[in-house]
């Protein structure tokens, strides 16, 4: 009977795989990534390295000393005090500032991403002073940099939440021109509000920067509005800007939008990072999605292939988004540690990424 | 057996859908009918193959929503035209699907793309939009005598509504009347099994295949 190794599927279910099956999945994952991004597959040596990581029998693995990278904590300490939110959490009664202190002093987070609890930029206005208060508390007590997290989310500007007709509804109903017009109108509002948040809310309170998270969730217009806003934020404030993505490629809701002479729709991480750098951002958050029906070796090979090329082409630091459903990690609220640590080890050791 | 001329015509039909070439489509339909190719074959092995290719390119980020919709519109018009020549073998709609994003969730990009794929491939889709109450799904399904209730959720905090839907269908004795199809970023096959949904679709393109499977169950 062939020796098998404990692995995970993309939905976190355990699976026993032979060495040959792992090799096959690594090959296939890397091959698809190469086809999607029109980039090279991993080399044989790199595939061997990845295989070695999956053959380690230990439950947890780690990067070597010389490969340590910066660790940020997405949505800050919300995972500690939160319980009902989208990101789950353990519901320990504590305030936001205390949670951030625990993240810094207990969990060694290198920098923090504090947010209004809803995270959405459009919804920041009624919560602006509350966020400023939380930020001031955190800034006064922590040592590590604090970068508030804001999601541009153009979709939040559609009726009934916002004033614009839903471009996706219009286009899928065949009203393409009307849909594109509504989309372009919403882009202007997103850009304006992002600039307001930076200039009126975050810069005055003295944060170290801002994290524009889940960018392009609503497609290429969401991305373009964020890039244009970032240009202005960098010119008019002293904030550093981190742009993290929502998806491995930019969804083309419009399809005709360009930035710096390049079409945004369909851009993959190695192309996205160039657009982000051109806008003046200081860091890029790379996202690679997983397939829940594929194994972690397959998903991680795909992630490493796309991420490696992104880091090679980047002129600014790149952090990889690692969490449920991205970065090779299974899609489950509390991802299993065996899969998470293998994803961390592979992305750090094989791609030269600057942080997680 | 398809001869080389027929194969070329079917490929032109596929290419016309892919490239949204209305002129090529009109000419090729006429050529196909003159050559005696069955309209149903032109739909299944010409137009649908083109749409499948468009779908695959969309999933890879190489084709965008307006183009997807233009191809879908073109195919819908072509199918209507071909149906006039189909007589008794006229293709009926495959089934009726009530589709929407669950209560508390406003993420509807994926739902809209699923709608395009289902509609263009012969399903009647009743789109309830986003932030839809479970009771609304059931009421509408009864009203239109739906075959499938398809729900999308993009957050872990809202996907529980899919579970509630299954429970409510059971409570009302409707579980065997409507088949359920679920999707959305945090959803998995495991989740579908856990809550008792009839199928899970990982993406828009596979939603059509899953819906077809459900119709044949």
């Amino acid at each position: 009977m062939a020796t098998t190794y404990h692995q995970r599927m993309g939905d976190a279910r355990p699976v026993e795989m032979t060495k040959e099956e792992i090799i096959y999945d690594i090959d296939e994952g890397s091959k698809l990534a190469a086809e999607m991004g029109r980039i090279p597959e991993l080399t044989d040596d790199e595939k061997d390295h990845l295989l070695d990581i999956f053959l380690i029998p230990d439950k947890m693995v780690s990067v070597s000393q010389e490969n340590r990278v910066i660790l940020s904590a997405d949505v800050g300490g919300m995972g500690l005090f939160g319980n009902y939110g989208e990101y789950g959490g353990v519901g320990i009664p504590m305030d936001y500032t205390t949670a951030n202190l625990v993240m810094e002093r207990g969990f060694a987070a290198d920098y923090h991403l504090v947010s209004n609890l809803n995270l959405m930029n459009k919804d920041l206005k009624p919560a602006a002073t509350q966020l400023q208060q939380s930020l001031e508390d955190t800034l006064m007590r922590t040592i590590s940099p604090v970068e508030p997290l804001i999601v541009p989310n153009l979709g939040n500007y559609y009726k009934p939440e916002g004033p614009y007709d839903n471009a996706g509804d219009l286009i899928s109903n065949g009203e393409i021109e009307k849909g594109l017009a509504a989309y372009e109108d919403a882009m202007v509002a997103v850009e304006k509000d992002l600039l307001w948040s930076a200039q009126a809310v975050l810069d005055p309170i003295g944060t170290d920067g801002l994290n524009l998270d889940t960018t392009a969730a609503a497609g290429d217009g969401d991305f373009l509005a964020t890039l244009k806003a970032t240009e202005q934020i960098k010119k008019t404030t002293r904030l550093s800007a981190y742009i993290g993505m929502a998806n491995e490629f930019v969804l083309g809701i419009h399809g005709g939008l360009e930035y710096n002479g390049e079409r945004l729709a369909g851009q993959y991480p190695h192309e996205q990072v160039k657009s982000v750098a051109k806008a003046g951002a200081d860091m890029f958050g790379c996202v690679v999605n997983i397939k829940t029906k594929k194994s972690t070796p397959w998903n991680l090979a795909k992630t490493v292939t796309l991420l490696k090329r992104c880091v090679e082409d980047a002129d600014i630091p790149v952090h990889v988004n690692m969490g449920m459903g991205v970065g090779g990690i299974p899609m489950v609220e509390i991802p299993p540690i065996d899969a998470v640590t293998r994803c961390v080890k592979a992305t750090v050791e094989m791609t030269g990424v600057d942080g997680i | 057996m398809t001869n080389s001329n027929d194969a070329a015509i079917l490929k032109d039909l596929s290419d016309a859908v892919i490239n949204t070439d209305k002129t090529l489509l009109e000419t090729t339909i006429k050529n196909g009918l003159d050559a005696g190719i069955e309209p149903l074959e032109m739909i299944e092995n010409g137009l649908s193959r083109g749409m499948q290719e468009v779908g695959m390119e969309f999933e890879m980020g190489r084709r965008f929503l307006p183009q997807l919709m233009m191809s879908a519109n073109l195919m819908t018009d072509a199918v209507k035209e071909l149906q006039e020549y189909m007589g008794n073998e006229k293709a009926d709609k495959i089934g009726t699907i009530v589709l929407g994003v669950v209560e508390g969730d406003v993420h509807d990009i994926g739902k809209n793309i699923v709608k395009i794929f289902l509609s263009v491939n012969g399903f009647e889709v009743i789109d309830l939009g986003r932030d839809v109450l479970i009771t609304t799904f059931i009421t509408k399904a009864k009203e239109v005598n739906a075959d499938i209730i398809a729900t999308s959720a993009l957050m872990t905090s809202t996907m529980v509504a899919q579970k509630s839907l299954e429970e409510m269908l059971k409570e009302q004795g409707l579980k065997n009347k409507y088949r359920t199809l679920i999707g959305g970023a945090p959803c998995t096959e495991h989740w579908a099994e856990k809550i008792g949904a009839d199928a899970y679709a990982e993406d828009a393109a596979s939603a059509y295949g899953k819906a077809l499977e459900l119709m044949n169950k």
Side-chain angles (χ1 to χ4, degrees):
Chain A
M1 195 173 171
T3 305
T4 59
Y5 300 85
H6 177 81
Q7 306 298 332
R8 297 278 179 176
M9 295 302 291
D11 60 3
R13 281 193 274 198
V15 58
E16 294 294 321
M17 296 175 73
T18 64
K19 183 177 173 183
E20 287 69 32
E21 286 171 336
I22 297 171
I23 291 170
Y24 179 81
D25 272 14
I26 289 172
D27 279 339
E28 290 296 302
S30 182
K31 189 174 158 190
L32 179 68
E35 190 188 339
M36 292 174 85
R38 297 180 167 121
I39 56 173
E41 283 185 48
L42 295 175
T43 64
D44 287 344
D45 283 350
E46 287 165 338
K47 287 177 182 175
D48 285 345
H49 188 156
L50 200 47
L51 175 65
D52 288 344
I53 292 171
F54 282 111
L55 297 185
I56 298 171
D58 301 359
K59 184 176 173 68
M60 288 172 63
V61 300
S62 182
V63 298
S64 53
Q65 286 283 351
E66 68 272 18
N67 275 314
R68 285 179 298 173
V69 296
I70 292 168
L71 176 68
S72 65
D74 194 1
V75 296
M78 217 181 274
L80 294 175
F81 66 78
N83 197 13
Y84 295 105
E86 182 183 351
Y87 305 97
V90 291
I92 301 169
M94 64 173 74
D95 62 79
Y96 213 144
T97 303
T98 309
N100 280 317
L101 286 169
V102 172
M103 294 304 293
E104 180 186 67
R105 298 179 191 182
F107 296 156
D110 292 305
Y111 75 104
H112 303 285
L113 310 169
V114 181
S115 176
N116 63 311
L117 293 178
N118 187 18
L119 313 176
M120 302 302 158
N121 185 56
K122 179 171 164 294
D123 301 331
L124 180 59
K125 284 178 183 169
T129 51
Q130 190 184 10
L131 175 62
Q132 284 181 316
Q133 197 64 56
S134 288
L135 282 169
E136 187 175 86
D137 285 351
T138 300
L139 283 162
M140 294 294 280
R141 298 186 204 190
T142 53
I143 299 163
S144 51
V146 175
E147 293 202 339
L149 184 151
I150 291 170
V151 180
N153 196 3
L154 183 146
N156 232 15
Y157 290 77
Y158 294 151
K159 293 175 185 172
E161 288 81 15
Y164 304 104
D165 287 330
N166 187 321
D169 281 348
L170 289 167
I171 294 171
S172 68
N173 286 331
E175 296 182 81
I176 296 173
E177 292 303 319
K178 204 173 165 188
L180 294 178
Y183 195 60
E184 288 169 10
D185 287 344
M187 282 162 46
V188 176
V190 173
E191 182 184 342
K192 183 169 161 257
D193 280 358
L194 285 173
L195 197 55
W196 178 83
S197 296
Q199 290 175 336
V201 181
L202 305 180
D203 200 29
I205 209 74
T207 66
D208 298 280
L210 85 166
N211 173 2
L212 298 160
D213 184 66
T214 327
T215 295
D220 45 350
D222 191 314
F223 193 24
L224 182 57
T226 306
L227 293 170
K228 285 183 170 179
T230 302
E231 283 180 6
Q232 295 304 310
I233 289 166
K234 291 302 295 181
K235 282 178 190 162
T236 58
T237 73
R238 32 135 229 104
L239 299 169
S240 70
Y242 169 105
I243 295 180
M245 302 303 290
N247 194 39
E248 62 199 7
F249 65 80
V250 177
L251 188 64
I253 296 294
H254 189 292
L257 301 173
E258 292 187 354
Y259 182 73
N260 192 32
E262 299 289 337
R263 185 174 61 198
L264 292 173
Q267 283 193 352
Y268 273 83
H270 62 287
E271 297 156 330
Q272 295 160 10
V273 72
K274 288 177 186 163
S275 298
V276 164
K278 184 70 185 173
D282 303 279
M283 284 204 298
F284 175 66
C286 174
V287 165
V288 181
N289 306 91
I290 66 138
K291 292 268 186 192
T292 57
K293 291 181 178 175
K294 297 289 187 183
S295 70
T296 299
W298 188 96
N299 281 310
L300 188 53
K302 175 173 168 248
T303 295
V304 171
T305 305
L306 286 165
L307 178 62
K308 177 174 165 267
R309 178 57 185 264
C310 172
V311 174
E312 283 170 1
D313 286 6
D315 294 323
I316 55 176
V318 176
H319 283 209
V320 58
N321 278 251
M322 305 204 79
M324 57 179 284
V326 292
I329 293 176
M331 174 64 82
V332 62
E333 248 184 341
I334 301 176
I337 198 73
D338 49 287
V340 172
T341 55
R342 278 163 180 78
C343 293
V344 167
K345 183 174 176 66
T347 51
V348 171
E349 291 182 351
M350 297 176 65
T351 70
V353 72
D354 300 280
I356 293 176
Chain B
M1 180 185 275
T2 307
N3 63 39
S4 59
N5 183 48
D6 288 1
I9 288 172
L10 294 175
K11 185 175 182 311
D12 280 349
L13 284 172
S14 172
D15 288 346
V17 170
I18 293 169
N19 300 316
T20 59
D21 188 337
K22 194 174 179 181
T23 308
L24 176 64
L25 189 64
E26 287 170 352
T27 310
T28 312
I29 286 175
K30 186 176 180 307
N31 291 343
L33 292 169
D34 290 346
I37 304 176
E38 292 298 329
L40 193 59
E41 188 179 357
M42 285 201 267
I43 294 171
E44 290 180 354
N45 294 322
L47 302 173
S48 288
R49 292 216 171 146
M51 202 60 210
Q52 279 171 13
E53 179 69 27
V54 170
M56 279 164 52
E57 289 194 357
F58 185 82
E59 296 290 340
M60 300 275 274
R62 291 185 188 146
R63 196 165 285 260
F64 314 119
L65 188 59
Q67 296 167 308
L68 180 69
M69 199 55 221
M70 282 191 270
S71 289
N73 282 345
L74 209 59
M75 177 166 165
T76 304
D77 291 345
V79 169
K80 271 185 199 159
E81 188 183 339
L82 284 168
Q83 279 181 331
E84 289 174 17
Y85 297 92
M86 288 169 78
N88 289 338
E89 58 163 352
K90 188 178 271 189
D92 290 326
K93 71 176 179 192
I94 300 170
T96 302
I97 299 180
V98 170
L99 172 72
V101 181
V102 297
E103 184 181 3
D105 204 323
V106 297
H107 301 88
D108 59 1
I109 290 175
K111 182 268 295 174
N112 282 331
I113 297 164
V114 168
K115 177 184 166 186
I116 294 171
F117 275 93
L118 293 173
S119 301
V120 80
N121 283 298
F123 279 97
E124 183 184 357
V125 180
I126 312 298
D127 181 5
L128 298 180
R130 55 185 181 166
D131 194 10
V132 180
L133 292 171
I134 298 162
T135 47
T136 307
F137 279 109
I138 296 175
T139 304
K140 183 54 83 172
K142 286 178 186 169
E143 183 187 321
V144 300
N145 195 23
D147 299 290
I148 297 171
I149 299 175
T151 58
S152 170
L154 205 88
M155 300 190 293
T156 53
S157 53
T158 57
M159 63 196 279
V160 289
Q162 293 171 328
K163 182 168 180 269
S164 303
L165 174 66
E166 297 296 332
E167 290 166 354
M168 195 172 283
L169 286 172
K170 277 179 201 156
E171 282 167 15
Q172 296 186 13
L174 296 169
K175 183 56 193 161
N176 293 325
K177 184 169 172 60
Y178 309 116
R179 279 145 281 188
T180 50
L181 174 62
I182 65 163
C187 303
T188 62
E189 201 159 69
H190 188 206
W191 173 243
E193 287 167 13
K194 191 174 169 183
I195 65 174
D198 296 303
Y200 155 72
E202 192 166 37
D203 50 41
S206 67
Y208 164 65
K210 290 289 180 184
L212 262 187
E213 282 175 23
L214 287 179
M215 292 303 297
N216 294 326
K217 266 189 176 176

